[in-house]
Amino acid sequence: MDEKKPTPEEDLAKKISSEVNKKIKSKNEGKEILFGMGVFGIIGWSVAIPTLIGVALGNFLDKRFQVGFSWTLTFLFLGLIIGCFNAWHWIKEKSDKEQSGNMSIDK
């Protein structure tokens, strides 16, 4: 009933312990560098693909319809926004998965 709130020092120690355990685990598996490069690759492609699709679609619409603005620029920005959202979502999901995995290891 009388649960004590952890002090900031205890919270910090727990976070550091969690990070150390992650580093040790990934170092033991030998995947730290490759995993980091893979993450950058996935993030890059998740932004690049929607951006290129937006440019291609915009270019097609520019050739097809003559209007007072550029469809290419419009869809370039739209593709970039969608790509950044994809990357953010992927990183958040991966981070949440790691956090839940660490909680089960720490307990």
Side-chain angles (χ1 to χ4, degrees):
M1 274 199 316
D2 189 23
E3 291 185 24
K4 289 168 61 177
K5 280 185 120 182
T7 65
E9 291 83 10
E10 291 172 337
D11 280 340
L12 180 61
K14 189 174 183 179
K15 287 179 184 178
I16 290 172
S17 173
S18 173
E19 291 297 318
V20 167
N21 288 338
K22 275 197 290 187
K23 290 280 186 183
I24 290 171
K25 182 181 175 188
S26 70
K27 189 172 185 179
N28 288 340
E29 292 175 1
K31 296 181 180 178
E32 187 171 347
I33 294 173
L34 292 177
F35 176 75
M37 290 174 65
V39 168
F40 282 121
I42 290 171
I43 291 169
W45 282 110
S46 70
V47 173
I49 296 297
T51 303
L52 291 174
I53 290 172
V55 168
L57 180 62
N59 195 15
F60 170 77
L61 291 174
D62 275 339
K63 290 178 181 177
R64 187 116 172 149
F65 304 106
Q66 299 297 320
V67 291
F69 60 91
S70 173
W71 285 108
T72 303
L73 287 176
T74 303
F75 281 101
L76 168 79
F77 289 123
L78 184 63
L80 187 61
I81 289 168
I82 291 170
C84 289
F85 180 75
N86 281 340
W88 171 79
H89 179 71
W90 188 86
I91 290 172
K92 185 176 181 317
E93 186 178 289
K94 189 72 172 164
S95 177
D96 290 346
K97 185 189 277 187
E98 281 185 13
Q99 288 293 349
S100 66
N102 286 337
M103 293 295 186
S104 64
I105 291 172
D106 290 340
K107 288 185 178 180

